[in-house]
Every structure is written in C-alpha cells, then in structure tokens.
Amino acid sequence: MQVSVEKTSELSRKMIVSVPEEVIQEKVAARLKSLSKNVKIDGFRPGKAPQQVINKLYGERVRGEVTGDLIQSTYFEALSKEQLRPAGYPNIHSADESEGFKYTAEFEVYPEISLDGVNGMEVKRPVAEVTESDVDAMIEKLRVRQKTWQTVERASQAQDRITITFAGSVDGENFTDGTVENYLVEIGANQMIPGFEDNLIGLVAGAKTTFTATFPENYGKDTLAGKAAEFEVEVIKVEESALPEIDADFIKKHGIEDGDTAAFRDDIRNTMERQLAQALAARLKNSVMDALYGAVSVSIPNALIDGEIENLMAPYKENAKKRKVKFEELDLPKDLFEEQAKRRVAVGLILAEVIDQGEIKLDDARVRNTIEEMAQNYERPQDVISWYYADEKRLDDVKNMVLEDQAVDWLVAKAKIQDESLSFYDLMDNQTR
C-alpha cells in the first residue's frame, strides 16, 4: 500500500491510497475459490462448476466487494500511518486501474490548538451567601405554594383568584370554540395575554364586561399574533388567598417530623446552600467558557459544525414530529443555529486540548461526590446513586461533566479572577431564566 497526502486548505486533506494489483488478484482469487464450493449454476452439480465459469459470472462482482473491503481496511491503516485525525466522514472517490486499485479520500482534520491565550485571561467569579433574610424569603415562598382560597363578597383585587366564563373574537370571528366555562385566573400571575388580567380588577360575582386586549407579536398562533381581540367576560366567583401559619403542622409537611422551627430553618438553609454551591459553580463555568472562547483562536472543521447544527435542531424536529407538523414548516434554517454550533464546537475542542495538555485525569472520588450531591435533591438519595452506577452511559455523562469541571479548575488557576458579589436570589433567578 502506498499513501500520499495533499493539504488543500488549513484543515482539508486529500489522501491518495494505492493497492498493488497482485494484492487485489490474490484476494479476488481466494474469494472466488470459496464461492465455487457453494454456488449453484444451471447445468452443474453444486460445487462442480469449472473455476473459469465462476470467474466469468462472478469476477466483476467479487472484485467490487474486495475493493470495497480494502477501502474500509486501508483507510484507517493509512490514517494511522500518516498520523491524521479526521473530523467527520471522508468523501471517497475510487478508480480501478490496470496496475492496481487507487482511491482518494477527502476529509477535514482536527485543528492544532495553542493554549497561550489562557494564561492571565480575565474571569468573573460570582460570590454569594445565604442570609437569614434569604431563608425568610424562601419560607414565605413555601407558604405561598400552600395558600388556600376563600370566596369573598367584594370586588376583585390584584392577587385574587377569579372564576370566569368568557368568549374571545378577532375581526368578528370567535377563536375560543364558543364560550370557555369556569376558567380560573389569578390576577397578576400573568397567565393571560397583556391587559387581560388588568380588566378583571374591580368586578364582583355576576358582573359582565367586554374589553379589548392585544395578542403579543410573537404569540405562538400566527392567526392571533399581534391582533386585537374582543373578550366578553362574566364573573362567576371571586376568591382571596390565605397563607398557612408557620406552625408544627406546616413544618411537618416539609419533612421535619418533630415540627421544630430551628430544625426547619436549618434544613431550608442547608438545601439553599447546596443549590447555591451548584449555581455558583455553573455560573463560574459559564464565565470561564466565555473567556476561553474569546482568548483562544481555533479553526473549526465544517463537518463538526454541521454535526452540531443537527444536534441543536434535533429537539425541534422531535417536537414537530409529536405535533404531526413537517419540520420544514417551522422555517428554521440551519444558519439560525450556526453561531451557537460554532461556539459549542470550538469550546469543546479547546477543552479537549486543555485536558490533554494539562494531563488532567478523571477524579473518581469527585465523580462519586458529584453523584451524591445530585442525589440529595431527591427523597431517596441512595436509589439515585444506584441508578447512576447501574448504567455505564449515565455514569459516563457524569464523568464527562466532572472532567470538564476539572478542566475549569485548571483554567481558573491560570486566570485573572475578579470576584462579583451577588445576592442569593439574583444568582438563582438568573439561573432559571
């Protein structure tokens, strides 16, 4: 086998592989001989047909099979010989010549990456703590989640819950399939389109009203987006909320069996501190990734970008399938995902180089600790831990995440760190946006 490689661009390569004719002939002859033992040909008993008849009938097909197999085997052998790392699948052109078999493989290779830019890159590190007022606010949120509703004989106010019957129309056409009965709206929860809930303030049970509200321009249904709609509403019931007292019963419902207030607050604080640690790590990691993407220049193989675009588009395709809509009707061109795909591929390539050059080895103890920390968010932590360790793929996902975290630590040690003070809720609210 002879191999030659031509560099056609920074990342593109053209590799020509030649296999001598005698190698082809030897493999073809062996395969035809094996074939003659089983093939059935009219006029001959099984296995008794002359070899020249076998050769004439099956020679061309067998040669095609042999050369196809040779492409598979010699391609990877040639890559190893030339120390090439292809990014994506090759485009292969073959030419069968009298002196042997030759084919050309065109592909992109992974880029060479310099990490000189990581030394001293500027990274913002979030700093936050859980305060007593944060714990108070969390307990208040727990109270709100368990609020109850009581009917009142007065006009509705903000934060009340109102039961209504309503119908909506645009340009004189009803779009609510007639009338919607006994619909619950919490005024101020922004569950309806802008302006709708404001028009429900000041109404008593039995009141009827008509008003106009406009659908947002980006509303999910094209026939309604940006349109002014007329609503006819009748009030069935007005209710106000009542928050539960923070007593022993309330505390017991949140897992503190003895109903002790101090133990309850400690449990809330511990959960918040665990969530805060995870959020701080995630925020720092994002900050490092942003800095890394700006500090290290990398050429990205088109094959990897195309593959990542497909990954980004996959959820939309799956959603379209569930909705029984053709994906093409969603009007989501590939270039809409291109910048995000480039960034993700670039960061992945740079991180791989960091792990390689930094000689970072996976910390199995850290993998275990990470799984145990994630398991604390569930009622039966040990079951969650066992679930991860029972499946190699699930465990590999955590290992990859931990290895990335170790790479982040390596980069942070080389960076210029600027601490950024945040409150608990500033940080956590941004995490969920």
Side-chain angles (χ1 to χ4, degrees), residues 274 277-278 281-282 285 362-378 381 384-389 394-406 409:
R274 186 169 61 250
Q278 294 169 353
K285 185 174 184 176
L362 180 67
D363 185 341
D364 289 326
R366 187 164 174 174
V367 172
R368 179 76 186 191
N369 289 338
T370 298
I371 291 175
E372 289 178 351
E373 286 176 8
M374 291 190 296
Q376 293 307 309
N377 296 319
Y378 297 87
V384 177
I385 295 170
S386 300
W387 182 79
Y388 274 105
Y389 278 95
R394 291 194 288 260
L395 188 58
D396 282 344
D397 289 341
V398 179
K399 287 180 177 179
N400 290 334
M401 180 178 70
V402 169
L403 194 57
E404 278 192 4
D405 291 343
Q406 290 179 240
D409 293 344

Short mmCIF file of all heavy atoms in Angstrom, two decimals, residues 274 277-278 281-282 285 362-378 381 384-389 394-406 409:
data_model
loop_
_atom_site.label_atom_id
_atom_site.label_comp_id
_atom_site.label_asym_id
_atom_site.label_seq_id
_atom_site.Cartn_x
_atom_site.Cartn_y
_atom_site.Cartn_z
N ARG A 274 -26.76 24.22 49.33
CA ARG A 274 -26.40 23.23 48.33
C ARG A 274 -26.75 23.74 46.92
O ARG A 274 -25.95 23.62 45.98
CB ARG A 274 -27.12 21.91 48.63
CG ARG A 274 -26.70 20.76 47.72
CD ARG A 274 -27.23 19.43 48.21
NE ARG A 274 -28.67 19.38 48.25
CZ ARG A 274 -29.39 19.36 49.37
NH1 ARG A 274 -28.81 19.40 50.54
NH2 ARG A 274 -30.72 19.31 49.32
N ALA A 277 -24.26 26.50 45.96
CA ALA A 277 -22.95 25.99 45.53
C ALA A 277 -23.00 25.50 44.08
O ALA A 277 -22.08 25.76 43.29
CB ALA A 277 -22.51 24.86 46.47
N GLN A 278 -24.08 24.82 43.73
CA GLN A 278 -24.23 24.33 42.36
C GLN A 278 -24.37 25.50 41.37
O GLN A 278 -23.79 25.49 40.28
CB GLN A 278 -25.45 23.41 42.26
CG GLN A 278 -25.29 22.11 43.04
CD GLN A 278 -26.58 21.31 43.17
OE1 GLN A 278 -27.65 21.79 42.79
NE2 GLN A 278 -26.50 20.11 43.73
N ALA A 281 -20.99 27.31 40.91
CA ALA A 281 -20.11 26.53 40.05
C ALA A 281 -20.53 26.65 38.59
O ALA A 281 -19.68 26.81 37.69
CB ALA A 281 -20.11 25.07 40.49
N ALA A 282 -21.84 26.60 38.34
CA ALA A 282 -22.34 26.70 36.96
C ALA A 282 -22.05 28.08 36.38
O ALA A 282 -21.65 28.22 35.23
CB ALA A 282 -23.83 26.41 36.92
N LYS A 285 -18.37 28.39 35.65
CA LYS A 285 -18.04 27.60 34.46
C LYS A 285 -18.43 28.36 33.19
O LYS A 285 -17.65 28.40 32.23
CB LYS A 285 -18.77 26.25 34.52
CG LYS A 285 -18.40 25.30 33.39
CD LYS A 285 -19.04 23.95 33.60
CE LYS A 285 -18.63 22.95 32.54
NZ LYS A 285 -19.19 21.60 32.80
N LEU A 362 -9.26 11.90 35.22
CA LEU A 362 -10.55 11.89 35.90
C LEU A 362 -10.39 11.51 37.37
O LEU A 362 -9.73 10.53 37.71
CB LEU A 362 -11.49 10.89 35.21
CG LEU A 362 -12.89 10.78 35.82
CD1 LEU A 362 -13.67 12.08 35.63
CD2 LEU A 362 -13.65 9.62 35.19
N ASP A 363 -11.02 12.29 38.24
CA ASP A 363 -11.01 12.05 39.68
C ASP A 363 -12.27 11.24 40.03
O ASP A 363 -13.37 11.79 40.11
CB ASP A 363 -10.99 13.39 40.42
CG ASP A 363 -10.86 13.22 41.93
OD1 ASP A 363 -11.13 12.11 42.44
OD2 ASP A 363 -10.50 14.21 42.61
N ASP A 364 -12.09 9.94 40.24
CA ASP A 364 -13.24 9.06 40.52
C ASP A 364 -13.95 9.45 41.81
O ASP A 364 -15.18 9.32 41.92
CB ASP A 364 -12.79 7.61 40.58
CG ASP A 364 -12.40 7.06 39.21
OD1 ASP A 364 -13.03 7.48 38.22
OD2 ASP A 364 -11.47 6.24 39.12
N ALA A 365 -13.17 9.92 42.79
CA ALA A 365 -13.79 10.33 44.06
C ALA A 365 -14.69 11.54 43.84
O ALA A 365 -15.77 11.65 44.44
CB ALA A 365 -12.71 10.66 45.08
N ARG A 366 -14.27 12.42 42.95
CA ARG A 366 -15.08 13.60 42.64
C ARG A 366 -16.35 13.20 41.89
O ARG A 366 -17.40 13.81 42.07
CB ARG A 366 -14.26 14.59 41.82
CG ARG A 366 -14.94 15.92 41.58
CD ARG A 366 -13.93 16.96 41.12
NE ARG A 366 -14.56 18.21 40.74
CZ ARG A 366 -13.89 19.31 40.41
NH1 ARG A 366 -12.56 19.29 40.42
NH2 ARG A 366 -14.52 20.42 40.08
N VAL A 367 -16.25 12.18 41.06
CA VAL A 367 -17.45 11.65 40.38
C VAL A 367 -18.46 11.17 41.41
O VAL A 367 -19.65 11.49 41.34
CB VAL A 367 -17.07 10.51 39.41
CG1 VAL A 367 -18.33 9.84 38.86
CG2 VAL A 367 -16.20 11.02 38.27
N ARG A 368 -17.97 10.41 42.38
CA ARG A 368 -18.84 9.89 43.44
C ARG A 368 -19.48 11.04 44.23
O ARG A 368 -20.69 11.03 44.49
CB ARG A 368 -18.04 9.00 44.37
CG ARG A 368 -18.85 8.41 45.53
CD ARG A 368 -19.72 7.28 45.08
NE ARG A 368 -20.60 6.81 46.16
CZ ARG A 368 -21.33 5.70 46.09
NH1 ARG A 368 -21.28 4.94 45.02
NH2 ARG A 368 -22.09 5.34 47.09
N ASN A 369 -18.67 12.03 44.60
CA ASN A 369 -19.19 13.17 45.37
C ASN A 369 -20.25 13.94 44.57
O ASN A 369 -21.25 14.39 45.13
CB ASN A 369 -18.05 14.11 45.75
CG ASN A 369 -17.14 13.51 46.81
OD1 ASN A 369 -17.54 12.61 47.54
ND2 ASN A 369 -15.92 14.00 46.90
N THR A 370 -20.00 14.09 43.27
CA THR A 370 -20.95 14.81 42.42
C THR A 370 -22.29 14.09 42.37
O THR A 370 -23.35 14.71 42.48
CB THR A 370 -20.38 14.96 40.99
OG1 THR A 370 -19.17 15.72 41.04
CG2 THR A 370 -21.37 15.66 40.07
N ILE A 371 -22.24 12.77 42.21
CA ILE A 371 -23.48 11.99 42.17
C ILE A 371 -24.21 12.07 43.51
O ILE A 371 -25.43 12.20 43.56
CB ILE A 371 -23.18 10.53 41.78
CG1 ILE A 371 -22.71 10.46 40.32
CG2 ILE A 371 -24.41 9.66 41.99
CD1 ILE A 371 -22.26 9.09 39.87
N GLU A 372 -23.45 12.00 44.59
CA GLU A 372 -24.06 12.08 45.92
C GLU A 372 -24.72 13.44 46.15
O GLU A 372 -25.79 13.54 46.74
CB GLU A 372 -23.02 11.80 47.00
CG GLU A 372 -22.57 10.34 47.04
CD GLU A 372 -21.50 10.08 48.07
OE1 GLU A 372 -20.96 11.06 48.65
OE2 GLU A 372 -21.18 8.90 48.32
N GLU A 373 -24.09 14.51 45.65
CA GLU A 373 -24.65 15.85 45.79
C GLU A 373 -25.95 15.97 44.98
O GLU A 373 -26.94 16.53 45.45
CB GLU A 373 -23.65 16.90 45.31
CG GLU A 373 -22.50 17.13 46.28
CD GLU A 373 -21.47 18.10 45.73
OE1 GLU A 373 -21.73 18.70 44.66
OE2 GLU A 373 -20.41 18.25 46.35
N MET A 374 -25.94 15.44 43.76
CA MET A 374 -27.15 15.48 42.94
C MET A 374 -28.26 14.67 43.59
O MET A 374 -29.44 15.04 43.53
CB MET A 374 -26.85 14.96 41.53
CG MET A 374 -25.95 15.87 40.72
SD MET A 374 -25.84 15.40 38.97
CE MET A 374 -25.06 13.79 39.07
N ALA A 375 -27.89 13.56 44.22
CA ALA A 375 -28.88 12.67 44.83
C ALA A 375 -29.58 13.32 46.02
O ALA A 375 -30.71 12.95 46.36
CB ALA A 375 -28.21 11.37 45.26
N GLN A 376 -28.93 14.31 46.66
CA GLN A 376 -29.53 14.96 47.83
C GLN A 376 -30.78 15.75 47.48
O GLN A 376 -31.55 16.11 48.38
CB GLN A 376 -28.49 15.90 48.48
CG GLN A 376 -27.30 15.19 49.11
CD GLN A 376 -27.72 14.10 50.08
OE1 GLN A 376 -28.53 14.34 50.98
NE2 GLN A 376 -27.18 12.91 49.90
N ASN A 377 -31.00 16.01 46.21
CA ASN A 377 -32.19 16.74 45.78
C ASN A 377 -33.42 15.83 45.71
O ASN A 377 -34.51 16.32 45.39
CB ASN A 377 -31.96 17.39 44.42
CG ASN A 377 -30.86 18.44 44.45
OD1 ASN A 377 -30.77 19.21 45.40
ND2 ASN A 377 -30.02 18.46 43.43
N TYR A 378 -33.23 14.55 45.99
CA TYR A 378 -34.33 13.59 45.88
C TYR A 378 -34.66 12.98 47.23
O TYR A 378 -33.85 13.00 48.17
CB TYR A 378 -33.97 12.49 44.87
CG TYR A 378 -33.76 13.02 43.47
CD1 TYR A 378 -32.53 13.50 43.05
CD2 TYR A 378 -34.82 13.06 42.55
CE1 TYR A 378 -32.33 14.00 41.76
CE2 TYR A 378 -34.64 13.55 41.27
CZ TYR A 378 -33.39 14.01 40.89
OH TYR A 378 -33.21 14.51 39.63
N PRO A 381 -32.02 9.36 48.27
CA PRO A 381 -30.72 9.59 47.62
C PRO A 381 -30.00 8.32 47.20
O PRO A 381 -29.40 8.26 46.13
CB PRO A 381 -29.92 10.35 48.70
CG PRO A 381 -30.97 11.00 49.54
CD PRO A 381 -32.11 10.04 49.57
N VAL A 384 -30.99 6.99 43.88
CA VAL A 384 -30.47 7.79 42.77
C VAL A 384 -29.01 7.43 42.50
O VAL A 384 -28.60 7.28 41.35
CB VAL A 384 -30.60 9.30 43.09
CG1 VAL A 384 -29.97 10.14 41.97
CG2 VAL A 384 -32.06 9.67 43.27
N ILE A 385 -28.24 7.28 43.56
CA ILE A 385 -26.83 6.90 43.40
C ILE A 385 -26.72 5.55 42.69
O ILE A 385 -25.93 5.39 41.75
CB ILE A 385 -26.14 6.85 44.78
CG1 ILE A 385 -26.09 8.25 45.40
CG2 ILE A 385 -24.73 6.27 44.65
CD1 ILE A 385 -25.65 8.27 46.85
N SER A 386 -27.51 4.59 43.12
CA SER A 386 -27.50 3.27 42.50
C SER A 386 -27.93 3.34 41.04
O SER A 386 -27.40 2.62 40.19
CB SER A 386 -28.43 2.32 43.27
OG SER A 386 -28.01 2.18 44.62
N TRP A 387 -28.89 4.22 40.74
CA TRP A 387 -29.38 4.39 39.37
C TRP A 387 -28.25 4.84 38.45
O TRP A 387 -28.13 4.34 37.34
CB TRP A 387 -30.52 5.40 39.38
CG TRP A 387 -31.16 5.64 38.06
CD1 TRP A 387 -32.07 4.86 37.41
CD2 TRP A 387 -30.94 6.77 37.19
NE1 TRP A 387 -32.44 5.41 36.21
CE2 TRP A 387 -31.77 6.59 36.05
CE3 TRP A 387 -30.14 7.90 37.27
CZ2 TRP A 387 -31.80 7.51 35.00
CZ3 TRP A 387 -30.18 8.82 36.23
CH2 TRP A 387 -31.00 8.62 35.11
N TYR A 388 -27.43 5.76 38.90
CA TYR A 388 -26.32 6.23 38.07
C TYR A 388 -25.28 5.12 37.86
O TYR A 388 -24.80 4.90 36.75
CB TYR A 388 -25.64 7.44 38.71
CG TYR A 388 -26.29 8.75 38.34
CD1 TYR A 388 -27.10 9.43 39.24
CD2 TYR A 388 -26.11 9.31 37.07
CE1 TYR A 388 -27.71 10.63 38.90
CE2 TYR A 388 -26.71 10.51 36.73
CZ TYR A 388 -27.51 11.17 37.64
OH TYR A 388 -28.10 12.35 37.29
N TYR A 389 -24.94 4.42 38.93
CA TYR A 389 -23.89 3.41 38.82
C TYR A 389 -24.36 2.13 38.14
O TYR A 389 -23.54 1.28 37.78
CB TYR A 389 -23.32 3.11 40.20
CG TYR A 389 -22.29 4.13 40.65
CD1 TYR A 389 -22.64 5.20 41.44
CD2 TYR A 389 -20.95 4.03 40.23
CE1 TYR A 389 -21.71 6.15 41.83
CE2 TYR A 389 -20.01 4.97 40.62
CZ TYR A 389 -20.40 6.02 41.41
OH TYR A 389 -19.47 6.97 41.79
N ARG A 394 -25.12 6.52 31.72
CA ARG A 394 -25.45 7.55 32.70
C ARG A 394 -24.22 7.96 33.49
O ARG A 394 -23.98 9.14 33.74
CB ARG A 394 -26.55 7.07 33.65
CG ARG A 394 -27.91 6.91 32.99
CD ARG A 394 -29.00 6.76 34.02
NE ARG A 394 -28.98 5.48 34.69
CZ ARG A 394 -29.76 4.45 34.38
NH1 ARG A 394 -30.64 4.56 33.39
NH2 ARG A 394 -29.70 3.32 35.04
N LEU A 395 -23.42 6.96 33.87
CA LEU A 395 -22.21 7.25 34.62
C LEU A 395 -21.20 8.02 33.77
O LEU A 395 -20.54 8.94 34.26
CB LEU A 395 -21.60 5.93 35.11
CG LEU A 395 -20.41 6.04 36.08
CD1 LEU A 395 -20.81 6.82 37.33
CD2 LEU A 395 -19.92 4.65 36.47
N ASP A 396 -21.11 7.67 32.49
CA ASP A 396 -20.19 8.37 31.59
C ASP A 396 -20.58 9.84 31.45
O ASP A 396 -19.70 10.71 31.34
CB ASP A 396 -20.17 7.70 30.21
CG ASP A 396 -19.34 6.43 30.19
OD1 ASP A 396 -18.55 6.23 31.13
OD2 ASP A 396 -19.49 5.64 29.23
N ASP A 397 -21.88 10.12 31.45
CA ASP A 397 -22.33 11.51 31.36
C ASP A 397 -21.81 12.33 32.54
O ASP A 397 -21.36 13.47 32.39
CB ASP A 397 -23.86 11.58 31.32
CG ASP A 397 -24.43 11.09 30.00
OD1 ASP A 397 -23.67 11.03 29.01
OD2 ASP A 397 -25.63 10.74 29.96
N VAL A 398 -21.86 11.74 33.73
CA VAL A 398 -21.35 12.43 34.92
C VAL A 398 -19.83 12.54 34.86
O VAL A 398 -19.26 13.58 35.21
CB VAL A 398 -21.79 11.70 36.21
CG1 VAL A 398 -21.24 12.43 37.45
CG2 VAL A 398 -23.30 11.59 36.29
N LYS A 399 -19.17 11.48 34.40
CA LYS A 399 -17.71 11.52 34.29
C LYS A 399 -17.25 12.64 33.36
O LYS A 399 -16.28 13.36 33.65
CB LYS A 399 -17.18 10.17 33.80
CG LYS A 399 -17.25 9.05 34.82
CD LYS A 399 -16.71 7.74 34.24
CE LYS A 399 -16.71 6.64 35.27
NZ LYS A 399 -16.21 5.34 34.72
N ASN A 400 -17.93 12.78 32.23
CA ASN A 400 -17.58 13.84 31.28
C ASN A 400 -17.79 15.21 31.91
O ASN A 400 -16.98 16.13 31.71
CB ASN A 400 -18.42 13.71 30.02
CG ASN A 400 -18.04 12.50 29.18
OD1 ASN A 400 -16.91 12.02 29.25
ND2 ASN A 400 -18.97 11.98 28.41
N MET A 401 -18.87 15.36 32.67
CA MET A 401 -19.15 16.63 33.34
C MET A 401 -18.07 16.95 34.37
O MET A 401 -17.58 18.09 34.45
CB MET A 401 -20.51 16.57 34.01
CG MET A 401 -20.92 17.84 34.73
SD MET A 401 -22.58 17.70 35.46
CE MET A 401 -22.26 16.52 36.78
N VAL A 402 -17.66 15.95 35.13
CA VAL A 402 -16.63 16.15 36.16
C VAL A 402 -15.28 16.47 35.51
O VAL A 402 -14.55 17.35 36.00
CB VAL A 402 -16.51 14.90 37.06
CG1 VAL A 402 -15.27 14.97 37.95
CG2 VAL A 402 -17.77 14.75 37.91
N LEU A 403 -14.96 15.79 34.42
CA LEU A 403 -13.70 16.07 33.73
C LEU A 403 -13.68 17.51 33.22
O LEU A 403 -12.65 18.19 33.29
CB LEU A 403 -13.51 15.08 32.58
CG LEU A 403 -12.11 15.00 31.95
CD1 LEU A 403 -11.07 14.66 33.01
CD2 LEU A 403 -12.09 13.97 30.83
N GLU A 404 -14.82 17.98 32.72
CA GLU A 404 -14.92 19.38 32.31
C GLU A 404 -14.71 20.31 33.50
O GLU A 404 -14.03 21.33 33.39
CB GLU A 404 -16.29 19.65 31.68
CG GLU A 404 -16.41 19.25 30.23
CD GLU A 404 -17.68 19.80 29.58
OE1 GLU A 404 -18.42 20.56 30.27
OE2 GLU A 404 -17.93 19.46 28.41
N ASP A 405 -15.31 19.96 34.65
CA ASP A 405 -15.15 20.77 35.85
C ASP A 405 -13.68 20.82 36.28
O ASP A 405 -13.19 21.86 36.74
CB ASP A 405 -16.01 20.23 36.99
CG ASP A 405 -17.51 20.42 36.71
OD1 ASP A 405 -17.85 21.24 35.84
OD2 ASP A 405 -18.31 19.73 37.37
N GLN A 406 -12.98 19.71 36.16
CA GLN A 406 -11.56 19.69 36.50
C GLN A 406 -10.77 20.58 35.54
O GLN A 406 -9.83 21.26 35.96
CB GLN A 406 -11.04 18.24 36.44
CG GLN A 406 -11.55 17.35 37.56
CD GLN A 406 -11.01 15.93 37.44
OE1 GLN A 406 -11.78 14.97 37.31
NE2 GLN A 406 -9.70 15.77 37.44
N ASP A 409 -11.24 24.11 36.67
CA ASP A 409 -10.35 24.40 37.81
C ASP A 409 -8.94 24.72 37.32
O ASP A 409 -8.27 25.63 37.83
CB ASP A 409 -10.31 23.21 38.76
CG ASP A 409 -11.64 22.98 39.47
OD1 ASP A 409 -12.49 23.90 39.45
OD2 ASP A 409 -11.83 21.88 40.02
#
